[in-house]
Amino acid sequence: MDLSELLFLIIAGITVGAAISVLVTKEIIRAVFYLTFCFIGVGITFIFLNAEFLGLIQVLVYVGAINVLILFGVMLTKRRLTGGGACE
Amino acid sequence: MIPLEYFLILSSVLFVIGIVGVLTKKNAILVLISIELMLNAANINFVAFAAYNNDPTGYVFALFSIGIAAAEVAVGLAILLNLNRLKDTVHVDDLNTMRW
């Protein structure tokens, strides 16, 4: 197993771990921040596939635009505070 | 070079996580987040097959997909903010009607 393969497996593990953390965490604001790590991991995966421009666009659009938009959505909507889980 | 199967397995795992999120989560914003995860899995597939077949069509499709995903989340959040203003909730079980 050469170095790039090992590096890819580490990045893929971080990406999948962040994606699972999005689903299992109780605080919705933490889910958005885990989502940031997941998007950055996918961007690095694009760079492994010789698509550096697309990885850059991925990080710019997803982390810079979509995550900020979702944070606005989280902060402007009402959570269900009574009954059930914290943000289920 | 990294085998193609690694990228396909990563994409499949991300897609399954997105489907589980769409089907189980009750907060509508988490459903939108899970849809973004599924779109990312599809983008990985586009770019992986484009890189291994030396065909730049997949890169262009992934670029279109990223742009459409950005537009889609903007429209979805606008709808959710209006729903929150009108019904005081973003819980998907409370949003089971299309007129109110």
Side-chain angles (χ1 to χ4, degrees), chain A residues 1-2 4-5 8-9 12-13 15-16 19-20 22-25 28 31-32 35 38-39 42 45-46 48-51 53-54 57-58 61-62 65-66 69-80 87-88, chain B residues 1-3 6-7 10 13-14 17-18 20-21 24-27 29-30 32-34 36-37 39-40 43-44 47-48 51-52 58-59 62-63 65-67 69-70 73-74 77 80-81 84 88-91 94:
Chain A
M1 179 180 294
D2 55 351
S4 69
E5 200 168 332
F8 169 75
L9 286 178
T15 307
V16 172
I20 292 174
V22 168
L23 293 195
V24 300
T25 186
I28 187 169
V32 180
L35 192 72
C38 186
F39 286 157
V42 174
T45 306
F46 287 167
F48 274 110
L49 287 164
N50 302 321
F53 175 70
L54 212 52
I57 290 292
Q58 162 92 9
V61 171
Y62 273 94
I66 290 183
L69 214 52
I70 290 176
L71 273 178
F72 265 105
V74 170
M75 290 176 181
L76 290 176
T77 55
K78 179 178 282 186
R79 283 169 48 187
R80 164 163 295 189
C87 69
E88 296 288 317
Chain B
M1 198 165 178
I2 305 167
Y6 285 13
F7 294 100
L10 170 65
V13 171
L14 279 182
I17 291 171
V20 169
T24 62
K25 286 297 173 183
K26 295 295 195 299
N27 194 322
I29 292 178
L30 278 172
L32 273 181
I33 289 174
S34 304
E36 296 299 319
L37 283 178
L39 284 167
N40 265 302
N43 280 341
I44 291 176
V47 179
Y52 280 81
Y59 295 132
L63 203 55
S65 170
I66 288 174
V73 75
L77 279 174
L80 280 185
L81 289 184
N84 183 59
D88 251 359
T89 180
V90 286
H91 198 270
D94 300 334

Side-chain angles (χ1 to χ4, degrees), chain A residues 17-19 21-22 25 29-39:
Chain A
S21 303
V22 168
T25 186
I29 202 88
R30 284 189 191 151
V32 180
F33 282 111
Y34 283 128
L35 192 72
T36 308
F37 288 109
C38 186
F39 286 157

